[in-house]
Amino acid sequence: LADAYVTLGASPSFTCAPYLLQSAPTQHEDVAWGESNAVIFANSVLGARTQKYADYLDICAALTGKAPAAGAHLESGRSPSMRLDVSEVVRDHGEALLGGQDRDSFFSVLGYLCGHRCGTRVPLIDGLEAVGVTRDQLKSFSAALGTSSAVPLFHMTGVTPKRPEVTQKESDTAAQNGAHALPTVCLTVEDLSGAWLALDVGAVP
């Protein structure tokens, strides 16, 4: 099958992280990807647009140059529908969680926890604005979020391309106009500990 793709003209990159290639999509570019961590990273960090496509449907999109006008390809499918607030964790435990060798693990566990909390709702992650989140940490967060949720993207205030002040203003304006503001879940260090324990259940040899 791989040989057939190459014969058709595909580049033989064979990677689950195509966002690291020179051919990575740019903001607002529509692509058709299938790997969940790549889809979430492309939508959220690069600002590209793709659904989580099943095998062969992505090839159909490649052959035709077309993708369904639905979901994360449309602005209406990319807006956050809930807020996950990490401010308390960062304020009270930031130095311990983010200051040492556990820093990278923090983003994997946080992504896993956020996925469980959001389910199918696109989340806005608040509270990490001053942390200095790196691209590698966003990769870890995206991969973990993809294992525990069905969402194709997330927004992270002060980090991802959609400007957080616009998202906040949209939510505030909606509330002033009588619409519901984004429902908010405040995450705690106990929530993070529970997620860590859920992941760390292997027997000690």
Side-chain angles (χ1 to χ4, degrees), residues 18 23 33 37 50 68 86 93 96 100 115 118 133 136 140 144 146 157 165 188 202:
S23 58
W33 287 4
N37 90 86
T50 178
V86 197
H93 306 278
C118 70
V133 185
D136 279 345
S140 297
T157 304
E165 59 270 27
T188 66

Side-chain angles (χ1 to χ4, degrees), residues 116-127:
H116 275 290
R117 291 293 187 270
C118 70
T120 59
R121 296 176 292 177
V122 175
L124 169 65
I125 317 298
D126 267 343

Side-chain angles (χ1 to χ4, degrees), residues 19-118:
Y19 46 79
L20 297 178
L21 302 176
Q22 289 187 339
S23 58
T26 56
Q27 192 167 5
H28 305 307
E29 183 176 348
D30 287 284
V31 294
W33 287 4
E35 169 64 39
S36 60
N37 90 86
V39 166
I40 293 174
F41 190 93
N43 279 321
S44 309
V45 182
L46 302 183
R49 295 168 181 258
T50 178
Q51 290 284 82
K52 290 183 179 179
Y53 285 108
D55 285 342
Y56 307 121
L57 187 55
D58 50 358
I59 298 303
C60 290
L63 289 171
T64 62
K66 297 181 182 295
H73 288 286
L74 306 179
E75 196 61 36
S76 59
R78 302 176 66 85
S79 297
S81 51
M82 74 173 302
R83 177 179 286 110
L84 296 173
D85 191 345
V86 197
S87 300
E88 177 185 321
V89 174
V90 173
R91 183 189 67 235
D92 297 341
H93 306 278
E95 185 175 351
L97 292 171
L98 298 168
Q101 61 183 5
D102 292 333
R103 180 181 175 93
D104 291 333
S105 298
F106 169 78
F107 286 94
S108 296
V109 176
L110 180 63
Y112 182 77
L113 172 61
C114 288
H116 275 290
R117 291 293 187 270
C118 70

